[in-house]
Amino acid sequence: MTTPRRGTVLVADDDRSVRESVAEILESDGYRVVEATDGEEALERLHSGEVDAVLLDIKMPRRDGLSVLDVMSPPPPPPSVVLVTAYDVEPEVKRRLGGRVIRILRKPVPPMLLLDVVDDAMRAAGTAGGA
Amino acid sequence: MDQGWWRLLGGATAVDAQAGPTTGTKSTPRIPWWGSAVFVVVAALAIVTWTVTEQGVNNQSTALLKNNAAQIELLLQSALNTVQGELRSVAFITANAGNSSTVLAQQSAGLRAQPAVTVAVVDSSGPAPRIVAVAGSALTVGETLSPALAAVVRNGATAMAGDIVQLGGQRMAALSASLTVSPNVAAIELTPLTTKAVPNRTGPYSKVYVNLYASPKPDASELFLTTYGPGPLPMPVATSPLKVGALNWLIAVSPKDPLIGGAAAAAPWLILGIVLLVALLLGVFVELLARRQHYARALVEERTAELVQAQRTLVRQERLAAIGEMASVVSHELRNPLSAVINDLFLVRRRAEPELNEGSERHLANAEREVYRAARLSEDLLAYAREREPQLAEVDLEALVAEVLENSPAPPGVSVTVDAAVRFQADPALLTQVLENVVTNAYQAISDGGTVQLSGRREDGSTVIVVEDSGAGIDPEVGQRLFEPFFTTKEGGTGLGLAIVHRLVDAHGGEATIDNGQLGGARISIRIPGQGRAS
């Protein structure tokens, strides 16, 4: 890795191809990436700390993304959360999420947009990138 | 016309017969002919019954008439015997009184109740029978008898005899009887005949007409006595032979009125009338039943057809819903693989970029374009298949259009004019999608540059949004088909853009139409009903 560390991103997605390709894009842009294959694993990663931003899929085994949002209590400072989902998010769910999510993205997300959003998330979490 | 009353009776109307069940495909069954059949059968029975009864009454009538004729024969026989006795008595007394015409006149007063009747005493002892005493004007004393009259006297030598004779241009009924002790002495009675009826208004046989013929056959020239008058007796006629000495006479009898009584004679007709009436009532009753049944059957068929139709619609809707659900699932499930492909293409490009040659660059760009197109198709399918209940809120069209144009900016060379100062009730999210699709459609029509006009106004309680471009326009033959899913005239389109517009406008209870406008290109008009105002 020649690029400097720009913060840690948790990529929680049960689809291995998606999860790994997203991770690789983020790593190639200088981020540290931790992966979770389901909701429970995502909670564990969050509770271990050091996560600045989360790309959270909604539909996952064991525990879905929305449930993860409801029960997580990571050590401060709280990470910025970006929901990335193949499904529509109902307006009432959006209202319920309130300010806990900085952006909701619909799959497939163009990689350049993904990088922009992660950059924004890092800023929101106070971990401004090296750029 | 109100045909309710007829329907209450179970009648099928002409309208029913023409229209048939309103939704069914079966033809209306023909109204059965049972009513007419029942009428015909019972009417035939009535006629048979009438025939049999009439026959019976006629037989009875004929028997009675024959009985009458026989009794009249007995009566006449007895009367003739009386006349015979009287004639013998007159002859005997007159002969004993020396053939005195005066005595004869006295003795024959009973026989000559009518003055035209002549009674004479004949002596046949000589070569020719001659008159020896007379009372009346038809004969004179000393006169020799005419051969016809002589024949009557001769026939009456042993028993009573009688015949019709011509005498001085007058038809006379001649009766003769000779004395048993002295056969040469006879008395004759001559009564002028007329065809005038002798009335028989009283007495036991006043109910019949009687003709007495001085011959064995009913010969009009031999009519001896009639209570009817000239001409043959009216039918039915019964006859009975009458013995007058050695001669055979004939009695003919005909009833004045039915002998067995008016009621009995009317019975067959009464039965015929009643049974025909019953036939008619039965026919009408059966006809009504048949019509009721026919009506009920038509109704059942109509309802069944409606049910079948409803069931088909339901099945179709379920199928469409299932297809929609499947499209939705497939679209969602495609999103992860598409994501992975897009990400991998990005990584390939990033790694290879420094030394990417022209050919590889072209292939990579092509792959990226197509994978995004697949993503768009999946998005459109989802948008089309999604079940929607519009969440109405007040929409500021001007603001909404500004947002849409920000998300979908006009391509280079395209100018957009907006006149949309109107607020109305609609689902903002759905309307945004509608406008995005319509505006994108317009952009695609003028990819080489041009104008897009977007306007909104209130009209007849609806909001009308018109999006018009300066492109090539549409083929009028194609028209509304452009709103059908997967119908496209563009290369690379998903064929769902305008179909989604149609569905979303439809979900609002509105309508979308397409034609060619003033700018020369296509014009899409969207009408959304409901409250609103100019802003």
Side-chain angles (χ1 to χ4, degrees), chain B residues 85-160:
Chain B
E86 279 195 32
L87 282 175
R88 280 181 173 161
S89 164
V90 163
F92 183 77
I93 292 169
T94 305
N96 281 348
N99 293 330
S100 160
S101 289
T102 312
V103 172
L104 176 62
Q106 282 168 1
Q107 290 300 315
S108 64
L111 288 169
R112 293 181 63 239
Q114 295 169 20
V117 174
T118 300
V119 176
V121 176
V122 179
D123 180 1
S124 309
S125 55
R130 58 187 187 85
I131 308 292
V132 292
V134 72
S137 57
L139 297 166
T140 50
V141 174
E143 182 184 344
T144 307
L145 292 187
S146 68
L149 211 48
V152 173
V153 171
R154 198 163 50 247
N155 282 332
T158 51
M160 178 75 180

Side-chain angles (χ1 to χ4, degrees), chain B residues 177-483:
Chain B
S178 301
L179 291 178
T180 337
V181 288
S182 156
N184 287 335
V185 177
I188 58 173
E189 182 198 37
L190 292 169
T191 311
L193 283 183
T194 60
T195 51
K196 219 175 127 194
V198 180
N200 59 335
R201 292 201 188 91
T202 56
Y205 304 106
S206 56
K207 287 190 159 72
V208 291
Y209 296 116
V210 182
N211 273 6
L212 179 61
Y213 297 95
S215 65
K217 293 265 172 62
D219 183 348
S221 64
E222 299 290 337
L223 187 61
F224 196 88
L225 178 79
T226 178
T227 65
Y228 176 70
L233 287 181
M235 294 301 281
V237 174
T239 59
S240 177
L242 177 70
K243 273 278 188 197
V244 181
L247 302 173
N248 288 316
W249 286 16
L250 187 76
I251 300 163
V253 180
S254 163
K256 288 179 180 174
D257 291 305
L259 288 179
I260 60 165
W269 295 100
L270 205 63
I271 288 169
L272 180 69
I274 288 170
V275 182
L276 277 180
L277 188 69
V278 168
L280 191 68
L281 289 177
L282 264 179
V284 168
F285 179 67
V286 170
E287 184 70 16
L288 281 183
L289 278 183
R291 278 173 186 270
R292 274 199 84 88
Q293 197 220 20
H294 168 261
Y295 177 68
R297 230 172 70 196
L299 206 64
V300 166
E301 277 184 15
E302 186 179 318
R303 294 283 187 273
T304 308
E306 280 171 10
L307 277 178
V308 166
Q309 190 63 36
Q311 201 210 2
R312 276 190 196 141
T313 308
L314 207 63
V315 166
R316 190 163 169 273
Q317 280 171 350
E318 275 176 7
R319 222 178 95 236
L320 283 180
I323 290 171
E325 198 174 331
M326 199 176 74
S328 165
V329 168
V330 169
S331 294
H332 283 127
E333 292 306 318
L334 272 176
R335 294 182 161 265
N336 279 325
L338 285 172
S339 291
V341 173
I342 283 171
N343 290 345
D344 286 332
L345 283 172
F346 177 82
L347 289 168
V348 167
R349 179 180 282 285
R350 207 171 235 202
R351 299 229 168 112
E353 207 126 54
E355 58 258 24
L356 199 60
N357 64 34
E358 202 184 317
S360 300
E361 161 62 34
R362 204 176 66 244
H363 292 311
L364 202 52
N366 203 31
E368 283 166 346
R369 195 173 59 248
E370 291 305 311
V371 96
Y372 277 109
R373 187 170 147 221
R376 214 163 50 243
L377 177 60
S378 146
E379 187 72 34
D380 281 357
L381 256 179
L382 265 179
Y384 185 74
R386 201 177 289 135
E387 290 292 332
R388 297 172 188 81
E389 195 57 48
Q391 310 292 315
L392 295 185
E394 187 176 85
V395 168
D396 177 353
L397 186 60
E398 203 148 36
L400 201 76
V401 168
E403 194 186 317
V404 167
L405 292 179
E406 197 184 316
N407 287 339
S408 310
V414 172
S415 66
V416 182
T417 62
V418 178
D419 172 19
V422 62
R423 290 169 183 270
F424 60 99
Q425 293 288 315
D427 183 315
L430 299 188
L431 195 63
T432 301
Q433 195 168 6
V434 166
L435 291 175
E436 263 173 15
N437 284 15
V438 173
V439 167
T440 306
N441 195 68
Y443 289 163
Q444 286 166 351
I446 47 173
S447 50
D448 297 333
T451 312
V452 175
Q453 264 181 16
L454 199 155
S455 66
R457 64 176 193 278
R458 292 287 298 168
E459 188 183 291
D460 300 335
S462 297
T463 303
V464 178
I465 301 166
V466 179
V467 177
E468 202 174 338
D469 64 61
S470 61
I474 60 154
D475 178 358
E477 299 245 321
V478 170
Q480 288 293 108
R481 291 201 62 197
L482 285 164
F483 290 114

